[in-house]
Structure formats: structure tokens, C-alpha cells
Amino acid sequence: MSHRFAETVFTKSVKEQQKAYGSLAHNEKLLTNFGPNDKMGSREIDFISRRDSFYMATVSETNWPYVQHRGGPTGFLKVLDPRLLAFADFRGNTQLISTGNISVNTRCSLILMDYPNRRRLKILGRIRMENTTDPAAEILPEIITDKFSAVVERVFLIDLTAFDWNCPQHISRRYTEAEFMENTALAAASKEQSN
Ligand SMILES: Cc1cc2nc3c(=O)[nH]c(=O)nc-3n(C[C@H](O)[C@H](O)[C@H](O)COP(=O)(O)O)c2cc1C
């Protein structure tokens, strides 16, 4: 077996550091014993469908990594098939930094956080952009199913390279207003029942 995520990020220089710090053998087990993590399964698909935001890094032609936060209605990042993700991109602030970066380098890296359950999913992929005016954009209705307040200018399609789960350490639990209200109501109901 091979672990596609580890294969992609464990570059020569990364392995040199692992060797220097004594973790190379441990990390090589990941390469041989786990994976392949190159196709999303039900766990990943369910996790993604519950997210209302994520962070996405792209790379400029001057090699600067650039991270942007993306937010929308829960499930706005769609899994179209186990190796294809998509989301709508808005007219926005017209800086077009991610869009410009993607036009020269299709690589992207996403991190999706589930703060209440202390879980995080990392995704590597290659982005294709489709303008909403593109007649070939047959999949648009699947992606633009939500009522967005801003104008959807293009769709980002992400061909999955690999994914990986991170350990929950150091993730503090945080709740959205809706989650907080729900938990408070549940706690109150359970207190009432026990009285
Ligand atoms: C009216 C308006 C609505 C927006 N709505 C969203 C939104 O729902 N989700 C989001 O992630 N960004 C939203 N944005 C932000 C833009 O899309 C933002 O410009 C884009 O993420 C910038 O990307 P960049 O940093 O790669 O240039 C909105 C911006 C404007 C002006």
C-alpha cells in the first residue's frame, strides 16, 4: 500500500528533517502501512457535508503561499464524486488573489475544521476554474443549489490528490451560535429530566 498524502508532502527536504530528528522510520510506516487516502470515503464525505467554512492555500508565481478563509451555507463545499470537490466563488472584493494564483499554479491545500468534535481534515488537490457563463458548466446546478447573497462568478473544481486526518490535540472546542443554543437547550432539558 502507499499513502498518497504522505508521498506528496514527504519531500526530500522533509525526509532529511525527519531523519535529523529521528522520526523517519516512524513516518515511513505511514507510507507503507496506511492509505492510500486518494479517494474520499463515507467518513470524509459526511465530514465535508457538515462544514460551513474552510481555509484554502494557493501558491503565487513568486512562490508565496496564500491562505484565504471561505465560508458559506453548511455543505457549500460539495463532493461531486470521491475524487472531485467543488464550490462557488463570488465576485467578492475583486482582489482575485486565489483566482490569479490558480491561473499559474493549480495546486491547492485545504484545511477543514470541526471545532466541537475536535477534528480536522487536510486536503491536497488541483483546481480548475469554470466561469458561470461557460456553456460547458453542466455541473453548475449541483454546486449553486444554495441561495448566495453575492454574485457567483466562477466555480472552483478541485481534483483530489490526497487527504489526511490530523490528531485532535490542541484543537479547542468552539461552537457556532446555533450549536451553542442547541447544546444549551439539550443541557437544560437533561437537567429538567434528572430533577
Ligand atoms: C458582497 C460580498 C459577499 C461575499 N460573500 C462571501 C461568502 O459568502 N463566502 C466567502 O468565503 N467569501 C465571500 N466574500 C469574499 C470574497 O469572495 C472574497 O473576495 C474572496 O474570497 C477573495 O478571495 P481572494 O483573497 O483569493 O482574492 C464576499 C465578498 C463580497 C464583496
Side-chain angles (χ1 to χ4, degrees):
M1 194 172 295
S2 67
H3 194 290
R4 192 73 206 283
F5 192 94
E7 261 173 26
T8 311
V9 295
F10 291 177
T11 56
K12 188 169 164 278
S13 52
V14 170
K15 284 184 183 174
E16 277 165 14
Q17 292 299 318
Q18 291 174 354
K19 193 173 176 192
Y21 284 87
S23 65
L24 184 64
H26 168 79
N27 283 305
E28 281 191 333
K29 277 192 199 142
L30 189 69
L31 278 167
T32 47
N33 297 347
F34 299 95
N37 286 30
D38 62 352
K39 191 176 164 190
M40 281 186 253
S42 55
R43 184 180 176 212
E44 289 75 34
I45 294 170
D46 180 62
F47 182 86
I48 293 167
S49 74
R50 291 168 193 271
R51 305 279 66 81
D52 64 1
S53 67
F54 59 90
Y55 302 91
M56 180 175 80
T58 53
V59 189
S60 75
E61 72 260 53
T62 48
N63 289 325
W64 281 100
Y66 172 77
V67 183
Q68 177 61 281
H69 171 270
R70 297 289 172 143
T74 301
F76 77 103
L77 177 63
K78 314 274 182 208
V79 180
L80 300 183
D81 78 44
R83 288 196 170 105
L84 184 64
L85 293 149
F87 68 96
D89 188 42
F90 306 107
R91 178 162 298 157
N93 63 7
T94 66
Q95 290 192 355
L96 297 160
I97 304 172
S98 306
T99 308
N101 286 350
I102 295 159
S103 71
V104 291
N105 187 336
T106 60
R107 290 178 181 84
C108 70
S109 182
L110 274 58
I111 185 154
L112 283 66
M113 301 297 302
D114 174 358
Y115 290 107
N117 296 303
R118 304 177 69 223
R119 292 184 298 175
R120 56 187 156 175
L121 178 65
K122 296 186 294 190
I123 292 172
L124 295 173
R126 298 269 188 172
I127 302 194
R128 289 178 272 140
M129 296 187 281
E130 286 209 6
N131 286 326
T132 46
T133 49
D134 189 339
E138 282 169 14
I139 46 160
L140 282 178
E142 241 184 290
I143 299 151
I144 314 177
T145 50
D146 306 289
K147 285 202 178 89
F148 296 113
S149 53
V151 178
V152 178
E153 211 157 52
R154 67 192 67 72
V155 164
F156 285 161
L157 291 163
I158 304 174
D159 292 305
L160 180 75
T161 301
F163 69 84
D164 202 16
W165 291 93
N166 255 173
C167 76
Q169 258 182 21
H170 314 297
I171 303 175
S172 305
R173 288 189 205 278
R174 289 184 172 83
Y175 299 91
T176 61
E177 197 176 348
E179 286 161 350
F180 177 78
M181 299 303 273
E182 192 186 335
N183 283 349
T184 311
L186 285 174
S190 119
K191 198 174 167 195
E192 201 152 291
Q193 256 181 3
S194 64
N195 283 340

